[in-house]
Coordinates of all heavy atoms in Angstrom, one line a residue:
R880 N -0.8 35.4 2.8 CA 0.0 35.1 4.0 C 0.8 36.4 4.2 O 1.5 36.9 3.3 CB 0.8 33.8 3.8 CG 1.6 33.6 4.9 CD 2.3 32.2 4.8 NE 3.1 32.1 6.0 CZ 4.1 31.4 6.1 NH1 4.5 30.6 5.0 NH2 4.8 31.3 7.1
S881 N 0.9 36.8 5.5 CA 1.7 37.9 5.8 C 2.9 37.5 6.1 O 3.5 36.4 6.6 CB 1.1 38.7 7.0 OG 1.0 37.8 8.1
P882 N 4.1 38.4 5.9 CA 5.5 38.0 6.2 C 5.7 38.0 7.7 O 5.0 38.5 8.5 CB 6.3 39.3 5.6 CG 5.2 40.4 5.5 CD 3.9 39.7 5.5
S883 N 6.8 37.2 8.0 CA 7.1 37.1 9.5 C 7.7 38.5 10.0 O 8.3 39.1 9.3 CB 8.3 36.1 9.7 OG 7.7 34.8 9.3
I884 N 7.4 38.8 11.2 CA 7.8 40.0 11.8 C 8.6 39.7 13.2 O 8.1 38.7 13.9 CB 6.7 41.0 12.2 CG1 5.9 41.3 10.9 CG2 7.1 42.2 13.0 CD1 4.7 42.1 11.2
D885 N 9.8 40.3 13.3 CA 10.5 40.0 14.5 C 9.9 40.9 15.7 O 10.1 42.1 15.7 CB 12.0 40.4 14.3 CG 12.9 40.1 15.6 OD1 12.3 39.7 16.6 OD2 14.1 40.4 15.4
I886 N 9.2 40.3 16.5 CA 8.6 41.0 17.7 C 9.6 41.7 18.6 O 9.2 42.5 19.2 CB 7.6 40.0 18.4 CG1 6.6 40.8 19.3 CG2 8.5 39.2 19.2 CD1 5.3 40.9 18.6
N887 N 10.8 41.1 18.5 CA 11.8 41.9 19.4 C 12.7 42.8 18.7 O 13.8 43.1 19.3 CB 12.7 40.7 20.1 CG 11.7 39.9 20.9 OD1 11.1 40.5 21.8 ND2 11.8 38.5 20.7
V888 N 12.4 43.3 17.5 CA 13.2 44.1 16.9 C 13.4 45.4 17.7 O 12.5 45.8 18.4 CB 12.7 44.6 15.4 CG1 11.4 45.4 15.5 CG2 13.5 45.3 14.6
H889 N 14.4 46.1 17.7 CA 14.8 47.1 18.6 C 15.4 48.4 17.9 O 16.1 48.1 16.9 CB 15.5 46.7 19.8 CG 16.7 45.9 19.6 ND1 17.9 46.6 19.1 CD2 16.9 44.7 19.6 CE1 18.8 45.7 18.9 NE2 18.2 44.5 19.1
K890 N 15.4 49.5 18.6 CA 16.1 50.7 18.2 C 17.6 50.4 18.5 O 17.9 49.5 19.2 CB 15.5 51.9 18.9 CG 14.0 52.2 18.5 CD 13.5 53.4 19.1 CE 14.3 54.2 19.9 NZ 13.7 55.4 20.5
S891 N 18.4 51.4 18.2 CA 19.8 51.3 18.4 C 20.2 51.3 20.0 O 21.2 50.8 20.3 CB 20.6 52.6 17.8 OG 20.1 53.8 18.3
D892 N 19.3 51.8 20.8 CA 19.5 51.7 22.3 C 18.8 50.4 22.9 O 18.8 50.3 24.2 CB 19.0 52.9 22.9 CG 17.4 53.2 22.7 OD1 16.9 52.4 22.1 OD2 17.0 54.1 23.3
N893 N 18.4 49.5 22.0 CA 17.8 48.3 22.4 C 16.3 48.6 22.9 O 15.9 47.5 23.5 CB 18.7 47.5 23.6 CG 19.4 46.4 23.0 OD1 19.7 46.3 21.6 ND2 20.1 45.7 23.8
A894 N 15.7 49.6 22.8 CA 14.4 49.7 23.2 C 13.5 49.0 22.2 O 13.3 49.3 21.1 CB 14.0 51.3 23.3
T895 N 12.8 48.0 22.8 CA 11.9 47.2 21.9 C 10.5 47.7 22.1 O 10.2 48.6 22.9 CB 11.9 45.7 22.5 OG1 11.4 45.7 23.9 CG2 13.2 45.1 22.4
A896 N 9.6 47.1 21.3 CA 8.3 47.6 21.4 C 7.6 47.3 22.8 O 6.9 48.1 23.3 CB 7.3 46.9 20.4
L897 N 8.0 46.1 23.3 CA 7.5 45.9 24.7 C 8.0 46.8 25.8 O 7.3 47.4 26.6 CB 8.1 44.5 25.1 CG 7.6 44.0 26.5 CD1 6.0 44.1 26.6 CD2 8.2 42.6 26.9
F898 N 9.3 47.2 25.6 CA 10.0 48.3 26.5 C 9.1 49.6 26.3 O 8.7 50.4 27.4 CB 11.3 48.5 26.2 CG 11.9 49.6 27.0 CD1 12.4 49.3 28.3 CD2 11.9 50.9 26.7 CE1 13.0 50.2 29.2 CE2 12.4 52.0 27.5 CZ 12.9 51.6 28.8
L899 N 8.9 50.1 25.2 CA 8.1 51.3 24.9 C 6.7 51.4 25.3 O 6.3 52.2 26.0 CB 8.2 51.8 23.4 CG 9.8 52.0 23.0 CD1 9.7 52.2 21.4 CD2 10.2 53.2 23.6
A900 N 6.0 50.0 25.2 CA 4.7 50.0 25.6 C 4.7 49.9 27.1 O 3.8 50.6 27.7 CB 4.0 48.7 25.1
A901 N 5.6 49.4 27.8 CA 5.6 49.3 29.2 C 5.9 50.7 29.8 O 5.2 51.2 30.8 CB 6.7 48.4 29.8
Q902 N 6.8 51.4 29.1 CA 7.2 52.8 29.5 C 6.1 53.8 29.5 O 5.8 54.6 30.2 CB 8.4 53.3 28.6 CG 8.7 54.7 28.7 CD 9.9 55.2 27.9 OE1 10.9 54.8 28.2 NE2 9.5 55.8 26.8
E903 N 5.2 53.6 28.4 CA 4.0 54.5 28.1 C 2.7 54.0 28.7 O 1.8 54.7 28.7 CB 3.9 54.5 26.7 CG 5.1 55.3 25.9 CD 5.4 56.7 26.5 OE1 4.6 57.5 26.9 OE2 6.8 56.9 26.7
G904 N 2.8 52.9 29.4 CA 1.6 52.4 30.1 C 0.5 51.9 29.2 O -0.7 51.8 29.6
H905 N 0.9 51.2 28.0 CA -0.1 50.7 27.2 C -0.3 49.2 27.4 O 0.4 48.3 26.8 CB 0.4 50.9 25.7 CG 0.4 52.4 25.3 ND1 -0.5 53.2 25.3 CD2 1.6 53.1 24.9 CE1 -0.2 54.4 25.0 NE2 1.1 54.3 24.7
K906 N -1.1 49.0 28.4 CA -1.3 47.5 28.8 C -1.8 46.7 27.6 O -1.3 45.5 27.6 CB -2.3 47.5 29.9 CG -2.5 46.0 30.4 CD -3.7 46.0 31.6 CE -3.8 44.6 32.1 NZ -4.1 43.6 31.2
E907 N -2.7 47.1 26.9 CA -3.2 46.3 25.7 C -2.2 46.0 24.8 O -2.1 44.8 24.2 CB -4.3 47.0 25.0 CG -5.6 47.4 25.9 CD -5.4 48.6 26.7 OE1 -4.6 49.5 26.5 OE2 -6.3 48.7 27.7
I908 N -1.2 46.8 24.5 CA -0.2 46.5 23.6 C 0.9 45.6 24.3 O 1.4 44.6 23.7 CB 0.6 47.8 23.1 CG1 -0.4 48.7 22.3 CG2 1.8 47.5 22.3 CD1 0.1 50.0 22.0
V909 N 1.1 45.7 25.6 CA 1.8 44.8 26.4 C 1.3 43.4 26.2 O 2.1 42.5 25.9 CB 2.1 45.3 27.8 CG1 2.7 44.2 28.6 CG2 2.9 46.6 27.9
D910 N 0.0 43.3 26.5 CA -0.6 41.9 26.4 C -0.4 41.3 25.0 O -0.1 40.2 24.9 CB -2.2 42.1 26.6 CG -2.5 42.4 28.0 OD1 -1.6 42.2 28.9 OD2 -3.7 42.9 28.3
I911 N -0.6 42.1 23.9 CA -0.4 41.6 22.6 C 1.0 41.1 22.3 O 1.2 40.0 21.8 CB -0.9 42.6 21.6 CG1 -2.4 42.9 21.7 CG2 -0.5 42.2 20.0 CD1 -2.9 44.2 20.8
L912 N 1.8 41.9 22.8 CA 3.3 41.7 22.5 C 3.7 40.4 23.2 O 4.3 39.5 22.8 CB 4.1 42.9 22.8 CG 4.1 44.1 21.9 CD1 4.8 45.2 22.6 CD2 4.7 43.7 20.6
L913 N 3.3 40.3 24.6 CA 3.6 39.0 25.2 C 3.0 37.8 24.7 O 3.6 36.8 24.7 CB 3.2 39.2 26.7 CG 4.1 40.3 27.5 CD1 3.5 40.5 28.8 CD2 5.5 39.8 27.6
T914 N 1.8 38.0 24.2 CA 1.1 36.8 23.6 C 1.8 36.3 22.4 O 1.8 35.1 22.0 CB -0.4 37.2 23.2 OG1 -1.0 37.6 24.3 CG2 -1.2 36.2 22.5
H915 N 2.5 37.2 21.7 CA 3.2 36.8 20.5 C 4.7 36.6 20.8 O 5.5 36.5 19.8 CB 3.0 37.9 19.3 CG 1.7 37.9 18.8 ND1 0.6 38.7 19.4 CD2 1.2 37.1 17.9 CE1 -0.5 38.3 18.8 NE2 -0.2 37.5 17.7
G916 N 5.1 36.5 22.1 CA 6.4 36.0 22.4 C 7.4 37.1 22.6 O 8.7 36.7 22.4
A917 N 7.1 38.2 23.0 CA 8.1 39.4 23.1 C 8.9 39.0 24.2 O 8.6 38.5 25.2 CB 7.4 40.8 23.5
D918 N 10.3 39.3 24.2 CA 11.3 38.9 25.1 C 11.4 40.0 26.2 O 11.7 41.2 26.0 CB 12.6 38.8 24.4 CG 13.8 38.4 25.4 OD1 13.6 38.4 26.6 OD2 14.8 38.0 24.8
Q919 N 11.1 39.7 27.5 CA 11.0 40.7 28.6 C 12.3 40.9 29.1 O 12.6 41.9 29.8 CB 10.2 40.0 29.8 CG 8.8 39.8 29.5 CD 8.1 39.5 30.8 OE1 8.4 39.9 31.9 NE2 7.2 38.5 30.6
T920 N 13.4 40.2 28.6 CA 14.8 40.3 29.1 C 15.7 41.4 28.4 O 16.7 41.8 28.8 CB 15.5 39.1 29.3 OG1 15.7 38.5 27.9 CG2 14.7 38.0 30.1
I921 N 15.3 41.8 27.3 CA 16.0 42.9 26.6 C 15.9 44.1 27.1 O 14.8 44.7 27.5 CB 15.5 42.9 25.1 CG1 15.6 41.6 24.4 CG2 16.4 44.0 24.3 CD1 15.0 41.5 23.0
C922 N 17.1 44.6 27.7 CA 17.1 45.9 28.3 C 17.5 47.0 27.4 O 18.3 47.0 26.5 CB 18.1 45.9 29.5 SG 17.6 44.8 30.7
C923 N 16.8 48.2 27.7 CA 17.2 49.4 27.0 C 18.5 50.0 27.5 O 18.8 50.3 28.6 CB 16.0 50.5 27.0 SG 16.4 52.0 26.4
T924 N 19.5 50.1 26.7 CA 20.8 50.5 27.1 C 20.9 51.9 27.6 O 21.7 52.4 28.4 CB 21.9 50.3 26.0 OG1 21.5 50.9 24.8 CG2 22.0 48.7 25.9
E925 N 20.1 52.8 26.8 CA 20.1 54.2 27.2 C 19.4 54.5 28.5 O 19.9 55.3 29.2 CB 19.3 54.9 26.1 CG 19.3 56.5 26.3 CD 18.5 57.2 25.1 OE1 18.9 57.1 24.0 OE2 17.6 57.9 25.4
R926 N 18.4 53.8 28.8 CA 17.6 53.9 30.1 C 18.1 52.9 31.2 O 17.6 53.0 32.3 CB 16.2 53.9 29.9 CG 15.7 55.1 29.0 CD 14.3 54.9 28.6 NE 13.9 55.8 27.5 CZ 14.0 55.7 26.2 NH1 14.4 54.6 25.8 NH2 13.6 56.6 25.4
H927 N 19.0 51.9 30.8 CA 19.4 50.9 31.8 C 18.4 50.3 32.5 O 18.3 50.1 33.7 CB 20.4 51.6 32.8 CG 21.6 52.3 32.1 ND1 22.6 51.7 31.4 CD2 21.7 53.6 32.0 CE1 23.4 52.6 31.0 NE2 22.9 53.8 31.3
A928 N 17.3 49.8 31.7 CA 16.1 49.2 32.4 C 15.5 48.2 31.3 O 15.6 48.3 30.1 CB 15.2 50.3 32.8
S929 N 14.8 47.3 32.0 CA 14.0 46.2 31.2 C 12.6 46.8 31.3 O 12.2 47.8 32.0 CB 13.9 45.0 31.9 OG 13.4 45.0 33.2
P930 N 11.6 46.2 30.4 CA 10.2 46.6 30.5 C 9.7 46.4 32.1 O 9.0 47.3 32.5 CB 9.5 45.6 29.6 CG 10.6 45.2 28.7 CD 11.9 45.1 29.4
F931 N 10.2 45.4 32.7 CA 9.7 45.2 34.0 C 10.1 46.3 35.0 O 9.3 46.9 35.7 CB 10.2 43.8 34.6 CG 10.0 43.5 36.0 CD1 8.5 43.2 36.3 CD2 10.9 43.5 37.0 CE1 8.2 42.9 37.6 CE2 10.5 43.2 38.3 CZ 9.2 42.8 38.7
I932 N 11.4 46.7 34.9 CA 11.9 47.8 35.7 C 11.2 49.0 35.4 O 10.8 49.8 36.3 CB 13.5 47.9 35.6 CG1 14.1 46.7 36.2 CG2 14.0 49.1 36.3 CD1 13.9 46.3 37.5
K933 N 11.0 49.3 34.1 CA 10.3 50.5 33.7 C 8.8 50.6 34.2 O 8.3 51.7 34.7 CB 10.3 50.6 32.1 CG 10.0 52.0 31.6 CD 11.0 52.9 32.3 CE 11.2 54.2 31.6 NZ 11.9 55.3 32.4
A934 N 8.1 49.4 34.2 CA 6.7 49.3 34.6 C 6.8 49.6 36.3 O 5.9 50.3 36.7 CB 6.1 48.1 34.5
I935 N 7.8 49.1 37.0 CA 7.9 49.3 38.4 C 8.0 50.9 38.7 O 7.4 51.4 39.5 CB 9.0 48.4 39.1 CG1 8.6 47.0 39.2 CG2 9.2 49.0 40.5 CD1 9.7 46.1 39.5
H936 N 9.0 51.4 37.9 CA 9.3 52.9 37.9 C 8.1 53.7 37.8 O 7.9 54.7 38.5 CB 10.4 53.3 37.0 CG 10.8 54.7 37.0 ND1 11.7 55.2 38.0 CD2 10.4 55.7 36.2 CE1 11.7 56.5 37.6 NE2 11.1 56.7 36.6
N937 N 7.3 53.3 36.9 CA 6.1 54.1 36.6 C 4.9 53.7 37.6 O 3.9 54.2 37.3 CB 5.7 53.8 35.1 CG 6.6 54.4 34.1 OD1 7.3 55.3 34.5 ND2 6.5 54.0 32.8
R938 N 5.2 52.7 38.4 CA 4.2 52.2 39.4 C 2.9 51.8 38.7 O 1.8 52.0 39.1 CB 3.8 53.4 40.4 CG 5.0 53.7 41.2 CD 4.6 54.9 42.1 NE 5.8 55.2 43.0 CZ 6.0 56.2 43.7 NH1 5.0 57.2 43.7 NH2 7.0 56.4 44.3
D939 N 3.1 51.1 37.6 CA 2.0 50.6 36.8 C 1.7 49.2 37.1 O 2.2 48.2 36.6 CB 2.3 50.7 35.2 CG 1.1 50.4 34.3 OD1 0.3 49.6 34.7 OD2 1.0 51.1 33.5
K940 N 0.9 49.0 38.3 CA 0.6 47.7 38.8 C 0.1 46.7 37.8 O 0.5 45.5 37.7 CB -0.5 47.9 39.8 CG -0.8 46.7 40.6 CD -1.9 46.8 41.7 CE -2.2 45.6 42.3 NZ -3.5 45.6 43.1
N941 N -0.8 47.1 36.8 CA -1.4 46.1 35.8 C -0.3 45.6 34.9 O -0.2 44.4 34.7 CB -2.4 46.9 35.0 CG -3.6 47.2 35.7 OD1 -4.0 46.6 36.7 ND2 -4.3 48.4 35.4
I942 N 0.7 46.4 34.5 CA 1.7 45.9 33.6 C 2.7 45.1 34.5 O 3.2 44.0 33.9 CB 2.4 47.1 32.9 CG1 1.4 47.7 31.9 CG2 3.6 46.6 32.2 CD1 1.9 48.9 31.1
V943 N 3.0 45.5 35.7 CA 4.0 44.7 36.4 C 3.4 43.3 36.7 O 4.1 42.3 36.6 CB 4.2 45.4 37.8 CG1 4.9 44.5 38.8 CG2 5.0 46.7 37.6
E944 N 2.2 43.2 37.0 CA 1.5 42.0 37.3 C 1.4 41.1 36.0 O 1.7 39.8 36.2 CB 0.1 42.2 37.8 CG 0.0 42.6 39.3 CD -1.4 43.0 39.9 OE1 -2.3 43.1 39.0 OE2 -1.3 43.2 41.0
K945 N 1.2 41.7 34.9 CA 1.1 40.9 33.6 C 2.6 40.4 33.3 O 2.6 39.2 32.9 CB 0.5 41.8 32.5 CG 0.5 41.2 31.2 CD -0.4 40.1 31.2 CE -0.6 39.4 29.8 NZ -1.5 38.4 29.7
L946 N 3.5 41.1 33.5 CA 5.0 40.8 33.2 C 5.3 39.6 34.1 O 5.8 38.6 33.7 CB 5.9 42.0 33.4 CG 5.8 43.0 32.2 CD1 6.6 44.3 32.6 CD2 6.1 42.4 30.9
I947 N 4.9 39.7 35.4 CA 5.3 38.7 36.3 C 4.5 37.3 36.0 O 5.1 36.2 36.0 CB 4.9 39.0 37.8 CG1 6.1 40.1 38.2 CG2 5.1 37.9 38.7 CD1 5.6 40.8 39.5
K948 N 3.2 37.5 35.7 CA 2.4 36.4 35.4 C 2.9 35.6 34.2 O 2.9 34.4 34.1 CB 0.9 36.8 35.2 CG 0.0 35.7 34.8 CD -1.4 36.2 34.6 CE -2.3 35.0 34.3 NZ -3.7 35.4 33.9
T949 N 3.5 36.2 33.2 CA 4.0 35.8 31.9 C 5.3 35.1 32.2 O 5.6 34.1 31.6 CB 4.0 36.9 30.9 OG1 2.7 37.5 30.7 CG2 4.5 36.3 29.6
N950 N 6.2 35.7 33.0 CA 7.4 35.3 33.3 C 7.8 35.4 34.7 O 8.4 36.5 35.1 CB 8.4 35.9 32.4 CG 9.9 35.6 32.5 OD1 10.2 34.4 33.3 ND2 10.8 36.1 32.0
P951 N 7.4 34.6 35.7 CA 7.7 34.7 37.1 C 9.2 34.9 37.4 O 9.6 35.5 38.4 CB 7.2 33.5 37.7 CG 6.2 32.9 36.8 CD 6.7 33.3 35.3
E952 N 10.1 34.4 36.5 CA 11.5 34.6 36.8 C 12.0 36.0 36.7 O 13.1 36.3 37.2 CB 12.3 33.7 35.9 CG 12.4 32.3 36.2 CD 13.1 31.9 37.6 OE1 14.3 32.4 37.7 OE2 12.4 31.3 38.4
I953 N 11.2 36.9 36.2 CA 11.6 38.2 35.9 C 11.9 38.9 37.2 O 12.6 40.0 37.2 CB 10.6 39.0 35.0 CG1 11.1 40.3 34.3 CG2 9.3 39.5 35.9 CD1 12.1 39.9 33.2
V954 N 11.3 38.5 38.3 CA 11.5 39.1 39.6 C 12.9 38.6 40.3 O 13.2 39.1 41.4 CB 10.3 38.9 40.6 CG1 9.2 39.6 40.1 CG2 10.2 37.5 40.9
N955 N 13.5 37.7 39.6 CA 14.8 37.2 40.1 C 15.8 38.4 39.9 O 16.4 38.6 38.8 CB 15.2 36.0 39.4 CG 16.7 35.5 39.8 OD1 17.2 36.1 40.6 ND2 17.0 34.3 39.3
L956 N 16.2 39.1 41.0 CA 17.1 40.2 40.8 C 18.4 40.0 40.3 O 19.0 40.7 39.6 CB 17.3 41.0 42.2 CG 16.0 41.6 42.8 CD1 16.2 42.2 44.1 CD2 15.4 42.6 41.7
E957 N 18.9 38.6 40.5 CA 20.2 38.3 39.9 C 20.2 38.2 38.4 O 21.2 38.3 37.7 CB 20.5 36.9 40.4 CG 20.9 37.0 41.9 CD 21.2 35.5 42.5 OE1 21.3 34.6 41.6 OE2 21.3 35.5 43.7
S958 N 18.9 38.2 37.8 CA 18.8 38.1 36.3 C 18.8 39.4 35.6 O 18.8 39.6 34.4 CB 17.6 37.3 35.9 OG 16.4 38.0 36.2
I959 N 18.7 40.5 36.5 CA 18.6 41.7 35.8 C 19.9 42.4 35.6 O 20.7 42.6 36.6 CB 17.8 42.7 36.9 CG1 16.4 42.3 37.0 CG2 17.8 44.2 36.3 CD1 15.6 42.9 38.2
P960 N 20.2 42.7 34.4 CA 21.5 43.2 34.0 C 21.6 44.6 34.7 O 20.7 45.4 34.4 CB 21.7 43.2 32.5 CG 20.3 43.1 32.1 CD 19.4 42.5 33.2
Y961 N 22.7 45.0 35.1 CA 23.0 46.5 35.6 C 24.0 47.1 34.8 O 24.8 46.6 34.1 CB 23.6 46.4 37.0 CG 22.6 45.8 38.0 CD1 22.5 44.6 38.4 CD2 21.6 46.6 38.6 CE1 21.7 44.0 39.3 CE2 20.5 46.1 39.3 CZ 20.7 44.9 39.9 OH 19.8 44.4 40.6

């Protein structure tokens, strides 16, 4: 049996694996992380962005659509911390 892993572990700037995968355009990794419950709402403090905002910034339609499909509330602008 493998040990439990915190899928939302992050660097000191709050950059999670999901944020980094979205930033770099790694759709397959984004899929895996979301399947295992990665939190889309954790924002990177250094870049002042969530995985969703980063995917929009990068114009990555596939990742944007996957994030919205997994969590439709992510497009609620009032929920995005500034």
